[in-house]
Amino acid sequence: MTTTLVTNIATLVTNDPAAGEGPLGLVQDAAVVMDGDTVAWAGPAAHAPAADTAYDAAGRAVVPGFVDSHSHLVFAGDRTAEFNARMSGRAYSAGGIRTTVAATRAATDAELEANLTRYLDEALRQGTTTFETKSGYGLTVEDEARALRIAARHTDEVTYLGAHVVSPDYADDPAAYVALVTGEMLDACAPYARWVDVFCEKGAFDGDQARAVLTAGKAKGLTPRVHANQLSYGPGVRLAVELDAASADHCTHLTPDDVDALASGNTVATLLPGAEFSTRAEWPDARRLLDAGVTVALSTDCNPGSSFTSSMAFCIALAVRDMGMTPDEALWSATAGGAAALRRTDIGRIAPGARADLALLDAPSHVHLAYRPGVPLVSAVWRRGVQVVS
């Protein structure tokens, strides 16, 4: 294997406190050595070992590749009319998620995969080197299974979300749909998935239904994650902690007991500011969670209805501006926090033994991700030690 030295780095974010300054493990005038697909060394450039090839970072910053731990990328169609109406102050009743369900069911496998890879490439160009994605826009046994089968060709982080909403085919019998989700549909989908998810919310699935979905998934070897407390107060967060879910996602409406539960458990609170931005909803209070000692992740929630962005940098800027996070906290949450939400230790950091996923910024510091919102600052990306964006 070839070793590569990336040197002349103005600021290196390692996310390894033992390697440098503060929780981000910041190293100034730094270098990184990649050996094949892993990081072999990181530290001050003056102490860097020799390597087979060299790359001059030209006084720019290097951060870990972003870890997007919540997305919905297997879909067809778009919901431009819905967004336009919402932003224009007009009522809109075209069906929301069900609109995407109809388009997704009508699409071919090739069309769904082409759409998926389009958005993955878009995210990669913006520095995302690991992503999770879900089913949830098929809501039949066949369509949910094919969504996961397609997703599994592109990522190991695949989530079964048959319990996104009650299928329109079962609008008059939600109990029968829960039985399908926990039975035949789960049997068909589990071989392609690592995770099981449920939208625990008024208008979707209540606490008892969500518990049934998650416990059935656990029995099939899937680890829970939960869409929790996005639109209203409810049982989702505490259910996630009780069942040792990897993450409770959204976490907008939290009681003190919800915060205490997250602080005392292993469940990561994944915040999705793109959803609040796109729906003009109340912002999650990241400061409250961080001050309580909760592990926080940031993710895009990229989907065609409520958060149609693949930009982790944009979400970092929103979190700093509107959710009470510092630039350091937001970057950590978009990298190491996302890794924690996926229960991974090999990504989200730049340290010996970690996967060699790096993003080079066209800026001297990671703070520019929030300081210069909307500017495409990622100028090069390495994934598994291979430069995939230049």
Side-chain angles (χ1 to χ4, degrees):
M1 290 187 290
T2 300
T3 57
T4 301
L5 169 67
V6 181
T7 191
N8 196 15
I9 300 170
T11 305
L12 173 66
V13 175
T14 67
N15 283 340
D16 179 3
E21 178 187 350
L24 294 186
L26 295 175
V27 182
Q28 309 298 327
D29 190 14
V32 176
V33 175
M34 297 178 283
D35 186 355
D37 62 359
T38 61
V39 175
W41 183 91
H47 302 150
D52 299 321
T53 63
Y55 183 99
D56 185 355
R60 292 173 285 180
V62 170
V63 304
F66 298 127
V67 180
D68 192 347
S69 60
H70 183 127
S71 73
H72 303 250
L73 298 181
V74 186
F75 69 89
D78 79 9
R79 282 148 63 184
T80 304
E82 175 184 332
F83 178 80
N84 188 41
R86 187 165 62 235
M87 293 299 108
S88 302
R90 299 193 303 270
Y92 186 82
S93 57
I97 290 172
R98 290 171 180 83
T99 302
T100 302
V101 169
T104 301
R105 289 179 178 181
T108 66
D109 286 14
E111 289 168 337
L112 292 177
E113 188 154 21
N115 208 42
L116 170 66
T117 56
R118 171 189 174 190
Y119 294 115
L120 295 182
D121 290 345
E122 182 180 279
L124 183 63
R125 293 195 301 270
Q126 299 174 89
T128 298
T129 51
T130 302
F131 74 96
E132 175 271 1
T133 201
K134 311 175 191 295
S135 65
Y137 290 128
L139 309 185
T140 68
V141 173
E142 178 184 355
D143 287 305
E144 288 294 295
R146 73 167 178 150
L148 296 176
R149 185 172 62 248
I150 290 168
R153 291 200 281 262
H154 299 275
T155 181
D156 295 330
E157 305 298 347
V158 178
T159 300
Y160 167 50
L161 183 59
H164 197 181
V165 294
V166 174
S167 168
D169 308 317
Y170 289 81
D172 297 327
D173 194 355
Y177 185 66
V178 172
L180 181 69
V181 168
T182 57
E184 182 185 356
M185 187 183 289
L186 174 61
D187 292 340
C189 291
Y192 304 107
R194 181 184 177 198
W195 311 98
V196 59
D197 199 346
V198 60
F199 188 15
C200 184
E201 186 62 71
K202 293 177 182 176
F205 298 90
D206 65 23
D208 291 340
Q209 293 168 327
R211 182 188 298 277
V213 170
L214 298 174
T215 54
K218 288 186 74 170
K220 282 287 188 180
L222 306 181
T223 302
R225 31 193 348 104
V226 184
H227 282 61
N229 300 54
Q230 177 188 4
L231 306 176
S232 61
Y233 296 99
V237 163
R238 277 165 287 171
L239 180 63
V241 175
E242 176 193 334
L243 296 180
D244 194 31
S247 66
D249 297 20
H250 288 290
C251 294
T252 306
H253 299 276
L254 301 179
T255 66
D257 287 345
D258 293 328
V259 176
D260 289 346
L262 287 165
S264 63
N266 299 314
T267 299
V268 174
T270 300
L271 307 183
L272 310 170
E276 280 71 37
F277 177 86
S278 296
T279 60
R280 290 178 173 160
E282 177 182 342
W283 296 101
D285 189 348
R287 183 81 269 136
R288 177 188 186 194
L289 291 165
L290 291 165
D291 288 348
V294 176
T295 300
V296 172
L298 283 177
S299 186
T300 65
D301 191 19
C302 187
N303 75 83
S306 61
S307 184
F308 206 2
T309 179
S310 58
S311 173
M312 289 289 280
F314 176 63
C315 292
I316 287 171
L318 291 178
V320 171
R321 170 62 178 80
D322 291 304
M323 288 165 43
M325 301 183 88
T326 69
D328 284 12
E329 289 167 340
L331 177 61
W332 190 94
S333 295
T335 52
L342 296 175
R343 294 192 168 165
R344 299 274 295 271
T345 59
D346 61 325
I347 55 176
R349 61 193 182 97
I350 299 175
R355 206 169 81 176
D357 293 349
L358 284 66
L360 176 68
L361 306 182
D362 192 15
S365 166
H366 65 283
V367 177
H368 282 238
L369 290 165
Y371 181 42
R372 304 195 68 208
V375 177
L377 293 178
V378 174
S379 58
V381 178
W382 289 262
R383 185 169 58 187
R384 299 181 184 271
V386 176
Q387 188 173 359
V388 290
V389 175
S390 61

